[in-house]
Every structure is written in C-alpha cells, then in structure tokens.
Amino acid sequence: MSVYRKSGDDEVHEYTSHRLASPGLVREHVNLALERPWVARVALTEHVREVTRRLITEFDLPGGGWPSPVPPSPPHGRTAARFYEIEGLQGGGLLSADDVRWHLERLRGDAERLGGAAGPVGMNLWELTVVDYSRPTTEDRIPHTTRDA
C-alpha cells in the first residue's frame, strides 16, 4: 500500500507500508490512511508468488556445475528461481541440481549397502519454478473473507 498526498498541484508519495498479509489487514490500513485529511490517494500493489512443480527424471537435470536454467519472465512477473526437490527426502528442502545428484548418489550407495539395486532410488524428483508477480490492484478486487463482516 502506498499513500500519496497533495502538495499544491502535485501529488507526492508519502509512504509505502510493509506487505500486508490478509485482505482484512489491507482494508484496515486503507481505511486508516483515508481518515487522514492530507491523503489524496492510496495505491495498492498485489504481490503473488506462484510455484509450479513438474515431475522430472535425473536425466532432466542441468549438467554438473551448471546453474539451474531460469525460464524467461512472464508478463508482469519476475522469475525468482528454479529448485529441485526429492520427494520423501528427510531434511532435503529445495536443492540445486548438483545437490540432487549428491543426494541420489548417497541414496544409491545406501541401497547397495543394504543389498538393494544400484539403479534409481524410487523417489519422485520435482522441478520447482518460483515466479513473483507484482501488479497494481484496487480495494474492490481484494477478496472478501468471513472475517470482513
């Protein structure tokens, strides 16, 4: 939320709030700002993080030592990062391609020591792409929740 005031014929940016986590909190901040007589306008920006997941194989990972390729940014968005995740890996979290290869080799070694096959470890491998969007919005377009009553 950004607040603007009039200064003569000009509109001056007064302040921008931190990110507000709920629709009710946005409405509350807008109402508080509009109670001030010097406020000429309140501008709202919606911030959305979109995470897409795609099931891949180990062979789909970028070459060793290479950073994970990031796709072109979509309209009104900024591609933040690409990560990988081994489903079921305890404490694995979001990994680089090289980290995935290291974990898979370790898991294969563990399987061999326990008498299992040296092939794939049987866990799903996911590619995660994170895209951040920032776009202007209005109070009318903010979703209504049961707390707004």
Side-chain angles (χ1 to χ4, degrees):
M1 178 178 97
S2 294
V3 175
Y4 297 85
R5 65 178 167 82
K6 280 291 204 183
S7 178
D9 290 339
D10 296 325
E11 189 175 74
V12 179
H13 177 258
E14 187 68 26
Y15 69 89
T16 297
S17 71
H18 54 14
R19 289 187 181 186
L20 302 169
S22 71
L25 197 53
V26 171
R27 285 189 184 81
E28 181 180 333
H29 277 257
V30 167
N31 290 337
L32 288 171
L34 293 175
E35 287 177 0
R36 295 176 174 88
W38 50 266
V39 171
R41 178 173 68 93
V42 173
L44 298 175
T45 304
E46 177 183 36
H47 298 277
V48 177
R49 173 161 279 180
E50 181 180 278
V51 179
T52 57
R53 295 168 53 97
R54 180 174 75 101
L55 188 62
I56 63 170
T57 70
E58 183 177 357
F59 304 108
D60 294 320
L61 292 168
W66 289 94
S68 301
V70 179
S73 296
H76 307 291
R78 179 179 62 79
T79 303
R82 178 167 280 156
F83 300 101
Y84 301 93
E85 181 179 63
I86 301 171
E87 189 174 301
L89 180 65
Q90 295 298 318
L94 300 177
L95 306 167
S96 70
D98 288 337
D99 290 338
V100 167
R101 275 189 278 282
W102 181 85
H103 279 287
L104 291 175
E105 285 302 316
R106 185 180 58 89
L107 291 167
R108 280 191 197 95
D110 291 349
E112 283 180 35
R113 279 189 294 285
L114 296 172
V121 294
M123 295 180 158
N124 288 329
L125 177 59
W126 295 94
E127 174 187 81
L128 286 78
T129 302
V130 180
V131 178
D132 290 331
Y133 292 92
S134 297
R135 51 190 167 235
T137 191
T138 63
E139 192 176 0
D140 295 341
R141 289 162 65 196
I142 295 172
H144 287 277
T145 65
T146 55
R147 292 183 168 183
D148 292 337

